[in-house]
Structures are given as structure tokens and as C-alpha cells.
Amino acid sequence: MTGTEQTSSGQTSAEDYEALRASVEEFARKEVAPVIGDLYIREEFPYDIVAKMGAMGLFGLPVGEEYGGMGGDYLALCLALEELARVDSSVAITVEAGVSLGAMPIFRFGTDEQKARWLPDIAAGRALGAFGLTEPGGGSDAGATRTTARLDGGEWVINGSKCFITNSGTDITSVVTVTAVTGEKPGGGKEISAILVPAGTPGFTVSEKYSKVGWNCSDTRELFFDDVRVPEENLLGERGRGYAQFLSILDEGRIAIAALSVGLAQGCVDESLRYAGEREAFGHTIGSYQAIQFKIADMEVRAHTARLAWRHAAQLMLDGKPFKHEAAIAKLVASNAAMDNARDATQIFGGYGFMNEYPVGRFYRDAKILEVGEGTSEVQKMLIARHLGL
């Protein structure tokens, strides 16, 4: 697969977006679908799939070509995420977190030296980056950071812990960006900065992987920092701007999670259509009954509407216009669609929907976290209400 090409006006052409989408759709159908069910049951990280996605350039889609990326944009990334999630969300979130949380903070805020050191391997899928923000006592209140970092002899000394961190403990994880309190603001309050911590640094340990309800092929861990020392130049961006930097990254990430959610919602439609045409009850395929037809129609409407929402937010972002409000709407609408469609698909499948061997069972388990990660539904409503002046 080649990278997306830009027209003379600087915009990627519709034909190239479609070519990318189609290539990822084919990859998900041929390479992911046949193997992901067994990996999911065994809770194994899909290293072979990650390597193949890296060779396709998916981890470097919005990263500049000078750092080994594809030189594309966020819309291209989101198109890929939607197609991956139509088949499996663990694979999709591995790419989403690897790009949005692993690569993009470095690409957006890193020095030339930091970009040259970390981005080529991440963009090629040879390595994964992670972002350590959430803490056990923090949750949605990311500003309540307790992890600390102090300067000592030209080094940052980091102490604290993080939880629910994706891609942080794989065999190919290379670096984790960590938010830490580095002082006090002149007017009071915590000065929070972002610092790059290479995997394997003494004092930096990762827990065993969590036992999760869903996303079973995704790597998620708790991180511990005990007098971890890294060079002063590992500061990412401006000192004291770590929290603000993360918020801007989170706005972009909400569009990506919305696209992933739409993929899961559409996957539920795909599987339900197939099953409704095969399963017979009372002498007819269940798809001939209006109750099933209406349920699938509602599912399609949800997926279609949510897709319009994330694409609108993505287009505003590409046009350089404010998109925070639209990103929150997209994330809220799409995660709701994913959860509702997963529930309806499981109902259509009946008892078989409760079996791990069928994709809809996996979709049902994976859907709930979409209403929590990258900002809960309640946080999205808070942002929307704030935009309206409430």
C-alpha cells in the first residue's frame, strides 16, 4: 500500500482515501478475521498482525515522511481504524493508541532529536509508544496527577504510578510519555510536564497485563516509577505544558475513538445481516421477519449517523478550524451507537451471540469501554454543555 497523495491544493484526493479504506478493509477481512478469535480467547497480543500493519504503514499514517511516516492526515488514520474495528477492536485500539497516544505527542511537541530517535520505529510498527496519564486515584480528573518528577544533576527523577496504559508492556514497547508534577505554577496549582521514559529504564516497571472484560488482544498495564532517572532533555514540549499538550492530543483522539466505535457498530450490522439471511426459524429465515428487519435498520441508522459525526469533526480539524465541540459529539454519539448495536446484534444471534466463537459476542464485550476511554460519556456531555455556555 502506498501513502495517501495530496492534490495541488494540499488536500488528499477522495480516490486515495478510498484506496486506503479498501486496502485496510481487505486486510482486516483476510488477515485479521481468520485468526483473531483464537487470539482473543487466549488473550494474546497479535504481534504478527501488528508487524503486517506496520509494513502497510498504518502506524505512521499521520506522521511526516521525514520521520518514516506516510505523510497523511487524521482522516486517513480514522478511515483505517473504522475498517479494522469492523472486524476486531483490539487490533484497532492497538493502532489508535500507538498513533494517537504513542507517536503524535512526540510528533506534535518533540524536538528534532526526539522525533528522529523514536518516530521511525514507531511509524514502521517495529516499536510501540504509550502515554502514561491516568492514575489509580485520578480517573477522569487527569489534573489530579500525583506522579512527581524533580531535576537532580541534569536528570529527571520520577516517582509514582499510572494505570490502564495501552501498549505499555509489549515486547516491542520502546517509550512511554509520562505526565508528572514538576513544580508549582506561579499563581498556585500544579505544574504538570510530559517526560519521555524509555522502556527498560531502571526503576520503571510494568505490571502483569490486566484481566479485562474486552479488548483481550490489547496490551493494558499498570506502570510504576521508583526513582526513575532520565536525562533532562527527555522533557517533551514545554515545561509545565504537559497537561495542556495532552488535552489537545485527547481532542484528536476522540475523533479516532469515534471512528473505531463506528467500525464496531458497522461490524454488528455486517454480522447481523449475514446471520439473518442464514438462520431459519418457523420455516423462514429470520431476516424475513419485520422485527429483525427493523432492528437491523435501526443499527444501520446509528452507524451511518455516527460516521457523519466523526467525519465532520475530522474535516474541521483538517481545515484548521475549532473542532473540540464536534469531537465530543462524535465520540458520544459513536460510542452510544457501538454499545446499542452490540446489544441488538447479540439479541439477533440469540444464544449464539453469547458464545465467544461468534464475533458479536466479542463486539459486545468490547463495546462498553468505548463509553469510558478517551473521556467518559459524562465528560463528553460536560464539554458539550460548556460549549453551549452552561
Side-chain angles (χ1 to χ4, degrees):
M1 184 187 73
T2 59
T4 54
E5 300 292 335
Q6 293 189 332
T7 64
S8 57
S9 63
Q11 294 290 319
T12 302
S13 70
E15 290 79 9
D16 285 313
Y17 282 132
E18 174 54 25
L20 170 66
R21 188 209 62 76
S23 67
V24 179
E25 178 188 27
E26 181 180 23
F27 172 81
R29 186 176 67 254
K30 292 184 177 180
E31 301 291 340
V32 179
V35 300
I36 198 62
D38 288 341
L39 291 173
Y40 195 93
I41 291 172
R42 297 198 302 269
E43 301 185 6
E44 291 185 15
F45 188 76
Y47 286 103
D48 289 344
I49 293 174
V50 168
K52 291 175 181 178
M53 292 191 297
M56 292 175 68
L58 300 189
F59 286 96
L61 274 171
V63 175
E65 294 179 1
E66 66 272 27
Y67 300 111
M70 304 293 283
D73 54 38
Y74 231 72
L75 178 56
L77 171 65
C78 291
L79 287 170
L81 292 174
E82 181 178 330
E83 292 304 326
L84 290 172
R86 284 178 73 172
V87 171
D88 181 72
S89 291
S90 294
V91 170
I93 196 60
T94 298
V95 175
E96 193 280 332
V99 178
S100 294
L101 302 178
M104 295 312 288
I106 300 173
F107 185 58
R108 297 275 192 233
F109 308 112
T111 64
D112 290 341
E113 291 77 11
Q114 289 169 343
K115 294 176 184 178
R117 177 179 179 184
W118 301 110
L119 288 180
D121 281 345
I122 293 176
R126 294 187 295 268
L128 290 173
F131 199 106
L133 174 81
T134 305
E135 298 190 0
S140 295
D141 186 8
T145 300
R146 294 184 179 181
T147 297
T148 62
R150 60 180 176 85
L151 280 174
D152 178 48
E155 293 180 318
W156 292 105
V157 183
I158 307 171
N159 284 280
S161 64
K162 303 290 181 178
C163 62
F164 310 139
I165 310 305
T166 305
N167 292 344
S168 58
T170 74
D171 293 344
I172 58 174
T173 299
S174 62
V175 65
V176 178
T177 302
V178 178
T179 53
V181 178
T182 52
E184 186 174 311
K185 294 179 180 179
K190 296 177 180 179
E191 175 192 83
I192 298 177
S193 305
I195 301 170
L196 295 165
V197 180
T201 301
F204 171 33
T205 58
V206 298
S207 71
E208 293 296 315
K209 61 185 180 181
Y210 289 108
S211 176
K212 303 189 298 264
V213 171
W215 283 0
N216 283 359
C217 291
S218 168
D219 178 82
T220 317
R221 315 248 181 173
E222 190 168 5
L223 312 180
F224 303 94
F225 305 89
D226 183 11
D227 285 339
V228 173
R229 287 180 171 266
V230 297
E232 183 176 356
E233 55 266 28
N234 278 29
L235 178 72
L236 182 64
E238 298 179 38
R239 178 169 177 168
R241 294 286 296 169
Y243 186 55
Q245 291 168 191
F246 172 76
L247 289 179
S248 68
I249 289 294
L250 192 61
D251 288 336
E252 299 176 0
R254 284 175 178 142
I255 303 175
I257 290 295
L260 190 157
S261 299
V262 170
L264 188 152
Q266 192 65 56
C268 290
V269 176
D270 298 340
E271 291 298 322
S272 296
L273 279 173
R274 180 190 59 77
Y275 188 73
E278 297 174 354
R279 174 77 162 122
E280 291 189 0
F282 306 104
H284 302 278
T285 60
I286 63 173
S288 65
Y289 297 114
Q290 193 175 69
I292 299 298
Q293 294 171 359
F294 280 10
K295 194 178 290 290
I296 295 177
D298 285 339
M299 293 164 64
E300 174 70 4
V301 169
R302 293 185 198 117
H304 180 79
T305 304
R307 182 178 296 109
L308 295 177
W310 83 248
R311 289 197 177 189
H312 175 58
Q315 191 59 56
L316 288 175
M317 178 184 170
L318 295 186
D319 292 342
K321 298 177 181 178
F323 64 92
K324 186 183 188 77
H325 175 62
E326 289 76 12
I329 291 174
K331 202 274 183 179
L332 179 63
V333 169
S335 59
N336 285 343
M339 193 68 212
D340 290 343
N341 278 16
R343 183 179 60 250
D344 282 352
T346 304
Q347 191 71 18
I348 289 170
F349 271 69
Y352 291 111
F354 204 60
M355 301 295 112
N356 281 328
E357 64 187 282
Y358 287 87
V360 294
R362 191 168 74 244
F363 293 166
Y364 188 76
R365 293 169 65 175
D366 290 342
K368 182 58 193 173
I369 190 60
L370 298 171
E371 297 182 314
V372 177
E374 298 260 3
T376 64
S377 295
E378 290 74 18
V379 167
Q380 307 314 311
K381 292 177 183 179
M382 179 184 70
L383 293 172
I384 295 165
R386 186 179 297 167
H387 178 85
L388 296 174
L390 298 173

